């Protein structure tokens, strides 16, 4: 354990009646006596009781919300309500003041929009500290899950000269002389991950990816973090099993390790929902929704089966869908996905064998020549959270597909070589990390689950 | 445990005399009978014995180095030498062939330069598979270390509008309309990490950073992964302690978990060294060097003390340094750092309190007004591996420094606000992940420790 000790470590150690030292920021100061001190290590604030009569002159007037303090005192059982322990301060040092006339993070309700403008300070609120602690725990759960299941972490390139993937608009670099050609920022590490799966067996990426699309929505970022496992010798069944187990484990991890933060975020969501019209409220409480995903076996059915269910649903018959279901082969919308999950099955759903026309070139063609071995995992509240597929490992089929879609085969020479030398069944999926964080924290805007969001017209900080 | 089972899992399970199924790639095939099969999960190849007399016609001729196979057979104790178990194959399926006239990864010695041209296939060699497994283990050790020591993982932005850090040349994005201003790729997440340390307490980043410098050396990449912890309330002493403990733990982790791969890489290095002139060989065997770092207490001394040692060293007196040491205040070169570590102290060394003139604006000025609270960790073979500092938390001193260095203070408005609202002592350090991987694997060229290196004129794949 390092010095300085954090409040979390101190509370765990619980050295009753010992003298201790803590540092942190004042959250509130009331009655010239009770400081609620927070250092970010936990949601819990530590009550520090000062005796204003013995305090040095001039110190008291500097204690405001946001002031950084170093306190020494006796760690004792609290006589007051609301906390079990407190510090009876006998030495107080002001590390840094926070003028209440200028420090924007005051102990009152701030809108999320206001806090986005103060992205460098919003981490000092309970809400953002809780979100970011959960985000950190989720990231660790991802690494721990893959590591303990025999996957190797790999870093695929961010700057790339290949633009064949076609997952979206790309950011281009202006330094073309440096690499001697046009380069841009990656939209996915999948193709490179495939090359490593064909040597190491099971690999995963977890890194930033980019889209230069002008989407100013609550669900899109220009820069976001993606998790992409890729497995040699896995077929689509194996991959659906992996995706379910992976999600249950990572969500299970935060349920176990982030109880306090999740309870706080659940309350925040409940309060927020009260201000909304009934039909826009969350279908479940936050913890209930997370347990729903961990406990319920995911329902697996083909796109075609889902299409039939949707087509003959009351919602569709009564024209309640914004996008009516009529033709086999069209892409499903979020409203259809949520109908399946929240109404029809009341369970997370995995759809597979999608129409080839609406999916990417690298997905393995089924014998019917109409569908591909793709799968999407659908969740309550948000719809698709995972998209994956068995990859087309047959050189001739892949080349045909590339030609049909007008993709430059030259650019993909190395990707095609995987099918020339020791090709094998393999599969993978992708998961946008921020979507997972949104799901786990109940936040409705993706700008609030990443420290410094990049969106159209916004690259501040 | 998932199906399909990997060779590593199979060997651990050791189901003697059971029928098992494995998939992998042929490393070698000899006497029409002995297949050495590898699936990337471990360095170990599994001996699979086929009876060529009962094998289906045409199968035998397709078994070459690189062929992907699915094999079923009895898992038994081996009668042969060189392995303890083997599979007596009774069913063999060719998943993908590898024409020996075209597949470049043949069972012979390939130069590292040749393999860089085949970056999508080099992972099928023992050397690169071992390097990348060690890289993955190191990355996990990093996350595990910080997670178990109360640090929160955060993602700082890759695309940034601020260019004040001045750590080097930057890659610019050409889509200036998208963000409404000039943006470029980050050179460091430190400044943003500081904002989060001042709310969450202890944070770290682990993400890609970029330099558009035309450095075509064996130690520079245009795109590399950096680890940057940042801690509120830590002074420089705490930070030196953290850096030492962090390195010992991560290197200790791979010593414990990657024994087989490290032994292989040690042998590789020893073989390579034999082809070099004596003075270019590694000063220690690989495992010896790693244990050296784990076991030896790091020596701490100030720049000024180191300067004196170097100035009066025999090497300097006899003019054996390429860069002679004469004036206090000049930067130390790799030869000086290695002299201190390998000759003078025979231990890893931490230098601190560097001349202010040669260090960045954000490092805390000492009372002497000449030195700053910076520290570098120096290692055998490579010199500097970690660079860190206590940050200047005093607004007036920081503003003066920014003015003196001609940095645009407007751009850093949010960074300066950290010193206006609840400022406190804080510190952090940075470590180039590829440098750590080079150190741990004994590889001499940074292009060989990242899957797809980006260097001047090279953004292939």
């Amino acid at each position: 354990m390092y010095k300085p000790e954090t409040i979390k470590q101190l509370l765990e150690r619980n050295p009753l009646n010992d003298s201790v030292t803590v540092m942190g920021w004042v959250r509130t100061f009331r009655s010239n006596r009770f400081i609620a001190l927070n250092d970010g290590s936990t949601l819990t604030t530590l009550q520090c009781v000062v005796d204003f009569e013995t305090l040095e002159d001039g110190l008291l007037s500097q204690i405001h919300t946001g002031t950084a303090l170093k306190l020494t005192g006796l760690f004792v059982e609290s006589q007051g309500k609301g906390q079990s322990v407190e510090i009876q301060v006998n030495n107080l040092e002001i590390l840094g003041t926070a003028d209440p006339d200028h420090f924007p993070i005051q102990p009152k309700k701030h809108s999320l929009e206001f806090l986005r403008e103060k992205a460098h300070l919003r981490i000092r609120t309970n809400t953002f500290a809780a979100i970011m602690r959960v985000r950190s725990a989720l990231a660790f759960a991802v690494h721990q899950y893959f590591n303990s299941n025999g996957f190797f972490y790999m870093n695929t390139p961010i700057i790339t000269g290949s633009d064949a993937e076609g997952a979206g608009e790309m950011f281009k670099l202006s330094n073309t002389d440096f690499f001697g050609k046009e380069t841009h920022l990656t939209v996915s590490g999948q193709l490179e991950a495939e090359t490593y799966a064909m040597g190491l067996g099971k690999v995963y990426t977890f890194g930033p990816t980019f889209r230069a699309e002008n989407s100013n929505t609550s669900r899109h970022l220009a820069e976001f973090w993606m998790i992409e496992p890729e497995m040699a010798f896995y077929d689509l069944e194996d991959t659906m099993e992996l995706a379910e187990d992976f999600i249950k484990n990572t969500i299970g991890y935060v349920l176990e390790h982030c109880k306090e933060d999740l309870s706080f975020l659940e309350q925040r969501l409940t309060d927020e929902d009260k201000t909304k019209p009934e039909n826009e409220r969350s279908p479940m409480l936050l913890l209930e929704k997370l347990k729903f995903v961990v406990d319920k076996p995911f329902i697996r059915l083909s796109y075609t089966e889902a299409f039939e269910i949707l087509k003959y649903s009351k919602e569709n018959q009564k024209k309640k869908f914004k996008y009516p279901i009529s033709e086999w082969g069209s892409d499903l919308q979020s409203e259809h996905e949520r109908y399946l999950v929240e109404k029809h099955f009341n369970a997370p759903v995995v759809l597979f064998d999608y129409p080839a026309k609406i999916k990417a070139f690298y997905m393995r063609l089924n014998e019917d020549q109409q569908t591909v071995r793709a799968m999407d995992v659908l969740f309550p509240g948000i719809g698709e959270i995972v998209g994956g597929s068995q990859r087309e490992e047959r050189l001739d089929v892949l080349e045909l597909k590339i030609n049909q879609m007008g993709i430059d085969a030259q650019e993909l020479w190395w990707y095609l070589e995987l099918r020339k030398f020791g090709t094998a069944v393999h599969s993978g999926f992708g998961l946008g990390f921020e979507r997972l964080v949104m799901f786990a924290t109940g936040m409705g805007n993706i700008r609030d689950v990443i420290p410094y969001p990049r969106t159209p017209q916004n690259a501040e900080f």
Side-chain angles (χ1 to χ4, degrees), chain A:
Chain A
M1 189 201 63
Y2 285 105
K3 67 175 177 73
E5 190 170 37
T6 62
I7 290 177
K8 182 165 191 244
Q9 288 169 324
L10 178 67
L11 293 174
E12 283 165 4
R13 188 163 67 93
N14 196 33
L16 283 178
N17 305 315
D18 274 4
S19 176
V20 299
T21 296
V22 289
M23 291 182 266
W25 294 273
V26 176
R27 278 291 159 84
T28 57
F29 182 41
R30 59 187 174 81
S31 313
N32 268 351
R33 191 165 168 76
F34 301 106
I35 296 170
L37 196 75
N38 186 280
D39 69 355
S41 63
T42 163
L43 188 75
T44 308
T45 56
L46 183 63
Q47 172 154 295
C48 303
V49 188
V50 295
D51 181 354
F52 59 86
E53 293 186 339
T54 65
L55 214 58
E56 232 178 276
D57 281 357
L59 283 184
L60 210 61
S61 64
Q62 297 181 59
I63 305 177
H64 298 291
T65 295
T67 299
L69 293 179
K70 180 176 184 175
L71 299 171
T72 302
L74 218 54
F75 185 83
V76 296
E77 283 188 21
S78 178
Q79 289 111 32
K81 281 178 185 170
Q83 64 282 321
S84 60
V85 293
E86 63 187 25
I87 293 184
Q88 290 171 348
V89 177
N90 50 43
N91 200 290
L92 182 151
E93 187 185 330
I94 306 276
L95 300 176
T97 57
D99 182 345
D101 293 338
H102 294 100
F103 183 49
I105 312 294
Q106 292 300 322
K108 59 169 191 175
K109 186 135 185 65
H110 296 292
S111 75
L112 296 172
E113 290 76 12
F114 171 79
L115 291 171
R116 270 173 229 145
E117 305 286 314
K118 309 285 179 195
H120 61 309
L121 299 176
R122 65 180 180 173
I123 192 63
R124 303 191 195 184
T125 65
N126 281 337
T127 298
F128 281 92
I131 293 167
M132 295 306 167
R133 281 190 295 260
V134 172
R135 182 182 167 109
S136 170
L138 268 176
F140 185 70
V142 169
H143 288 295
Q144 190 172 61
Y145 178 83
F146 284 126
N147 184 68
S148 63
N149 283 284
F151 284 70
F152 299 106
Y153 179 52
M154 73 173 289
N155 297 121
T156 50
I158 310 300
I159 299 174
T160 161
S162 128
D163 65 356
E165 227 246 309
E169 287 295 309
M170 290 174 303
F171 287 106
K172 292 197 176 61
L173 297 188
S174 60
N175 322 42
T176 48
D177 286 351
F178 189 93
F179 293 115
K181 63 172 172 178
E182 272 214 350
T183 53
H184 56 263
L185 302 184
T186 186
V187 294
S188 159
Q190 179 201 313
L191 304 193
E192 288 91 353
E194 284 187 51
T195 66
Y196 264 45
M198 300 311 278
L200 287 180
K202 297 193 280 188
V203 299
Y204 72 107
T205 72
F206 187 172
T209 53
F210 304 84
R211 298 280 188 286
E213 268 148 35
N214 201 3
S215 306
N216 235 325
T217 82
S218 63
R219 321 192 61 75
H220 291 91
L221 289 171
E223 173 181 316
F224 57 99
W225 286 67
M226 191 115 99
I227 298 156
E228 297 180 284
E230 191 72 34
M231 302 75 65
F233 312 123
Y234 270 48
D235 62 19
L236 194 69
E237 293 291 324
D238 299 326
T239 307
M240 290 192 279
E241 211 170 294
L242 175 71
E244 180 171 347
D245 193 55
F246 167 74
I247 292 174
K248 287 184 165 166
N249 268 277
T250 46
I251 297 291
Y253 181 93
V254 294
L255 275 173
E256 187 184 335
H257 290 86
C258 304
K259 286 194 182 76
E260 196 183 37
D261 286 323
L262 291 177
S263 297
F264 175 84
L265 291 167
E266 172 168 283
Q267 187 58 49
R268 191 209 68 83
L269 183 60
T270 306
D271 294 345
E272 186 185 75
D273 270 1
K274 283 178 192 153
T275 69
K276 290 182 178 173
E278 187 119 20
N279 65 343
E280 285 176 25
R281 295 181 191 172
S282 311
M284 293 179 236
L285 289 175
L286 181 60
L287 289 166
E288 185 190 354
K289 191 183 69 171
L290 300 184
K291 284 175 190 149
F292 175 88
V293 160
V294 170
D295 295 340
K296 293 244 178 179
F298 292 12
I299 304 284
R300 293 184 201 171
L301 72 160
S302 70
Y303 166 92
T304 303
E305 290 168 298
F307 171 78
E308 298 287 326
I309 289 170
L310 289 165
K311 188 172 176 183
Y312 298 110
S313 67
K314 272 189 197 156
E315 266 72 3
N316 200 47
Q317 306 283 330
K318 293 186 176 170
K319 301 195 183 344
K320 288 200 175 162
F321 286 138
K322 193 176 159 200
Y323 299 89
I325 294 281
S326 57
E327 290 281 310
W328 185 95
S330 58
D331 214 350
L332 302 184
Q333 303 297 321
S334 185
E335 58 177 342
H336 308 132
E337 296 173 342
R338 291 186 57 179
Y339 172 82
L340 293 169
V341 173
E342 293 165 26
K343 302 228 167 108
H344 190 82
F345 289 111
N346 190 33
V349 167
V350 190
L351 294 191
F352 59 87
D353 286 351
Y354 277 82
K357 278 184 297 183
I358 59 171
K359 290 289 185 182
F361 73 93
Y362 49 71
M363 299 187 177
R364 195 181 197 278
L365 193 63
N366 280 312
E367 282 185 24
D368 63 16
Q369 306 288 318
Q370 298 298 318
T371 60
V372 287
R373 297 248 73 193
M375 66 100 176
D376 282 355
V377 180
L378 312 179
F379 262 27
I382 57 170
E384 182 196 328
I385 190 154
V386 162
S389 72
Q390 188 170 323
R391 315 309 188 189
E392 184 56 77
E393 89 281 14
R394 298 162 297 185
L395 183 62
D396 53 344
V397 184
L398 185 62
E399 284 180 328
L400 195 66
K401 210 67 169 299
I402 284 175
N403 281 334
Q404 283 171 354
M405 295 196 174
I407 297 166
D408 183 0
Q410 296 264 313
E411 284 235 342
L412 287 174
W413 66 272
W414 50 276
Y415 189 70
L416 291 167
E417 282 201 352
L418 299 184
R419 280 72 184 171
K420 289 179 190 159
F421 305 126
T423 191
V425 166
H426 64 290
S427 304
F429 64 78
L431 180 153
F433 184 54
E434 281 75 20
R435 295 276 173 94
L436 187 65
V437 181
M438 286 175 81
F439 182 77
T441 58
M443 298 304 293
N445 193 315
I446 199 164
R447 292 171 178 82
D448 297 328
V449 299
I450 190 167
Y452 294 99
R454 268 57 183 121
T455 53
Q457 305 308 313
N458 178 28
E460 200 53 54
F461 305 102

